[in-house]
Amino acid sequence: MAAQNPPLALEPLRRGTVEYEELRKRFFNARVPPTEPAEIVHPTTTADVAAAVKRAKSLGWKVGVRSGGHSFTCSSLIQNGMLIDASRLNRTIEYDPKTRILSFGPATLARDLAEWSDKLKRFFPFGHFPSVAVGGFALAGGQGWFMRGWGCTSDSWITKLEVVMADGQAINASKDENEDVFWAARGGGHGFFGVVTKIYGNTIPARTIFDMARVFDVSQPGSYEKVLGWALAANNRTPKYGVDTAVATFYADKEAADAGREARDKRLFMSMDSIVYADSMAEAETLLSEFRNLPEELQPLEMAHVGPKETTWDEIFHYQEKVNPSGNGERYQCDSILNDPEIPREKLMEAIKPALCSLPNFRSVGVVFIAEYYPDERDQALSLPQQYYISTMTCWTDPAEDGRMRKWMYDAYSRAESVACGQYIADFDATHRITKVMSDSALRKWLRIRAKWDPREIFPGYKSFASILQDDAKL
Ligand SMILES: Cc1cc2nc3c(=O)[nH]c(=O)nc-3n(C[C@H](O)[C@H](O)[C@H](O)COP(=O)(O)OP(=O)(O)OC[C@H]3O[C@@H](n4cnc5c(N)ncnc54)[C@H](O)[C@@H]3O)c2cc1C
């Protein structure tokens, strides 16, 4: 009996305790579904994870894994299954000065990697938001800093993963070992069929961060098209290495002190924020020259202009947390599309206009992140082109608003879908819209690899996005 239900070094948390409920709800989004795993485990070592997976397997339970808890849908919660909370797992960041390879546990946050970068003067592309953990981020592919030049973090940065597979064995996965698992992990997102316990990545010398922001009033008819059209055109003439630009829409009083009420100032603003990684201000100014030359016709629309100026990860992260606060009952939904790059710009801007310009309340934000990354599916499961990542994060606090907010999102993104090639897998929500998260050929290959490594479906997260393929086309 003991062999069938392996004991755990750690005491699992079970329903009915305060600790269980606190840990169950440890998500960025306060809109946590009532889904109750049978047990939550909190491993610190890879051996703990292996024991937990073996236990789940012997009990016939499904397993969900959480690192930073930034999945908007709380995808790691499985009714009557096991939740492996990786927040304490392998928590040291190690650096090998010979190989210049960095290794860390999956719950390492973007903030931790930024601190490490400042200290060691090396850089690995982490996420844009300080509390996003690298576990879920890397599996989604990772839209990290300066990806226009070097692609998603999963592309050339991650060199190896340590993974506990469905049979409870820990393996290494890289281009040389268990290459199929390495391929399927990068872009497999919440569908991945193992527990990532350690991540290894390349680093480069750190540089200095600069930023420049412009804010426009786009409330008047025609101004959204003028400003966004200019931003996208200016970006096309901007070098790809070391310059990231994000466009955001929000109501004028998004940051009003008496948050909680509905927007009074309904002017719609559009910000354009470029972050540059360069060696000097002169270099940053050259890289930003297209964004610095504002056409005359846009000048009357400009409300504010800052920089270029030197900045820090701390300052950038502080701003990000102001835009997307968490921890005070904020309920979120995020939907997004990756646009079909063949669609002309005017048609694209028209289709995404409701998602960006008709925001349902003053807490919500629309984003066009200029990704410009075209992955090669021979290298990894991540396979949809990422020219622009277009998303809206709606945010509210009153549960009575859930229905209205979800309807708004569904309507806006059903419209945007007409110009999409799919969705970044991190935003996939099976209860909302079923969209492509990989190319059909990548998904077929991915499903074959999954079936080989997890024949008993211990990790069921893939089922939601696999359903996009017709049954007869799956294999
Ligand atoms: C405010 C905000 C900002 C964001 N900014 C960015 C951004 O700049 N770039 C970007 O690419 N994404 C961004 N995201 C999306 C984010 O990267 C994904 O949601 C990612 O999955 C979060 O990882 P996590 O570990 O924090 O979340 P979790 O909820 O812990 O993980 C998400 C899913 O990944 C899987 N998973 C997590 N850890 C493991 C593991 N160790 N082993 C196996 N499976 C695991 C699980 O299926 C889990 O359900 C953002 C999200 C938020 C909320």
Side-chain angles (χ1 to χ4, degrees):
M1 195 66 192
Q4 279 184 345
N5 291 334
L8 287 171
L10 305 149
E11 197 49 41
L13 298 175
R14 301 208 173 83
R15 285 175 200 153
T17 64
V18 177
E19 293 81 7
Y20 169 96
E21 193 51 15
E22 276 177 1
L23 202 52
R24 190 186 76 83
K25 288 188 168 164
R26 192 183 65 80
F27 287 98
F28 175 83
N29 190 356
R31 199 165 54 91
V32 179
T35 315
E36 292 192 326
E39 280 183 4
I40 306 179
V41 297
H42 217 182
T44 56
T45 66
T46 302
D48 290 343
V49 174
V53 171
K54 282 180 188 156
R55 175 178 163 78
K57 189 178 159 206
S58 69
L59 290 164
W61 289 352
K62 306 286 181 199
V63 174
V65 191
R66 179 176 62 194
S67 290
H70 281 64
S71 152
F72 285 99
T73 59
C74 309
S75 49
S76 48
L77 293 180
I78 297 173
Q79 186 65 33
N80 300 329
M82 175 186 277
L83 170 62
I84 299 183
D85 180 291
S87 57
R88 291 185 194 154
L89 177 63
N90 294 330
R91 275 317 291 262
T92 48
I93 299 180
E94 288 164 352
Y95 176 64
D96 180 341
K98 246 197 214 153
T99 58
R100 295 168 182 179
I101 297 271
L102 185 68
S103 59
F104 40 82
T108 305
L109 308 181
R111 177 187 286 118
D112 303 330
L113 289 170
E115 261 174 37
W116 173 88
S117 177
D118 286 343
K119 230 184 272 165
L120 263 98
K121 309 285 178 233
R122 302 286 302 173
F123 174 76
F124 168 88
F126 41 83
H128 300 108
F129 197 81
S131 52
V132 163
V134 76
F137 170 80
L139 288 170
Q143 295 176 328
W145 287 101
F146 313 115
M147 67 173 283
R148 279 181 71 232
W150 48 53
C152 274
T153 299
S154 62
D155 190 324
S156 56
W157 294 91
I158 294 177
T159 55
K160 188 167 79 175
L161 299 169
E162 181 190 75
V163 188
V164 171
M165 304 307 295
D167 62 0
Q169 301 304 314
I171 63 162
N172 283 323
S174 69
K175 285 205 166 133
D176 305 317
E177 268 180 289
N178 300 305
E179 193 274 336
D180 57 348
V181 174
F182 192 56
W183 181 90
R186 295 168 303 140
H190 61 279
F192 185 55
F193 40 87
V195 185
V196 175
T197 47
K198 211 162 183 184
I199 296 165
Y200 296 77
N202 283 318
T203 61
I204 55 167
R207 304 179 84 182
T208 305
I209 322 158
F210 299 88
D211 83 355
M212 188 182 92
R214 290 183 181 279
V215 183
F216 300 89
D217 182 339
V218 293
S219 314
Q220 294 308 313
S223 50
Y224 152 81
E225 289 81 0
K226 274 188 203 156
V227 177
L228 182 58
W230 174 70
L232 299 181
N235 174 77
N236 284 348
R237 298 187 297 267
T238 296
K240 284 189 106 178
Y241 282 88
V243 191
D244 263 357
T245 298
V247 173
T249 52
F250 49 92
Y251 289 121
D253 63 354
K254 166 144 178 49
E255 288 173 18
D258 53 340
R261 60 166 172 72
E262 196 38 83
R264 270 194 293 261
D265 186 347
K266 283 266 187 181
R267 280 177 305 158
L268 186 73
F269 285 181
M270 178 179 280
S271 66
M272 207 169 290
D273 212 338
S274 297
I275 309 283
V276 177
Y277 212 38
D279 290 326
S280 65
M281 177 61 89
E283 189 187 346
E285 284 176 351
T286 305
L287 288 169
L288 286 173
S289 51
E290 287 297 333
F291 286 105
R292 291 172 68 216
N293 292 324
L294 188 64
E296 225 168 84
E297 64 160 347
L298 298 188
Q299 288 171 11
L301 301 176
E302 191 175 45
M303 310 293 298
H305 176 189
V306 182
K309 62 171 179 49
E310 199 175 317
T311 186
T312 61
W313 293 123
D314 261 0
E315 266 180 23
I316 291 174
F317 285 160
H318 179 70
Y319 173 74
Q320 299 273 16
E321 284 181 322
K322 240 168 84 177
V323 174
N324 294 305
S326 172
N328 288 303
E330 289 88 355
R331 305 171 78 76
Y332 277 96
Q333 187 179 9
C334 177
D335 201 352
S336 67
I337 61 156
L338 296 169
N339 64 298
D340 175 350
E342 300 295 319
I343 303 272
R345 186 184 303 153
E346 285 66 33
K347 193 170 169 205
L348 169 71
M349 291 199 300
E350 190 203 329
I352 62 176
K353 192 171 177 178
L356 297 179
C357 296
S358 309
L359 300 172
N361 69 357
F362 77 104
R363 289 175 186 264
S364 302
V365 188
V367 173
V368 179
F369 172 63
I370 302 178
E372 291 191 300
Y373 169 54
Y374 304 93
D376 183 338
E377 72 181 62
R378 286 171 301 183
D379 297 333
Q380 52 181 335
L382 190 73
S383 43
L384 297 177
Q386 303 197 3
Q387 182 184 24
Y388 306 126
Y389 164 77
I390 296 144
S391 77
T392 309
M393 277 191 204
T394 50
C395 175
W396 66 103
T397 52
D398 182 355
E401 286 273 70
D402 287 8
R404 178 179 83 85
M405 298 303 272
R406 281 179 63 82
K407 176 161 187 338
W408 180 89
M409 193 68 108
Y410 188 81
D411 291 346
Y413 276 84
S414 298
R415 173 84 186 88
E417 203 167 59
S418 64
V419 293
C421 63
Q423 186 179 39
Y424 185 42
I425 195 165
D427 297 335
F428 182 86
D429 179 350
T431 68
H432 184 57
R433 287 188 309 125
I434 303 291
T435 58
K436 266 187 203 208
V437 293
M438 294 177 205
S439 72
D440 288 354
S441 50
L443 182 51
R444 278 188 205 106
K445 175 174 169 181
W446 193 93
L447 290 170
R448 284 195 294 272
I449 299 171
R450 191 217 66 77
K452 172 184 151 195
W453 285 94
D454 183 15
R456 286 170 57 183
E457 293 185 342
I458 301 264
F459 298 95
Y462 79 99
K463 286 194 164 176
S464 50
F465 62 74
S467 66
I468 193 113
L469 283 182
Q470 297 303 312
D471 280 347
D472 59 351
K474 274 191 184 157
L475 292 174

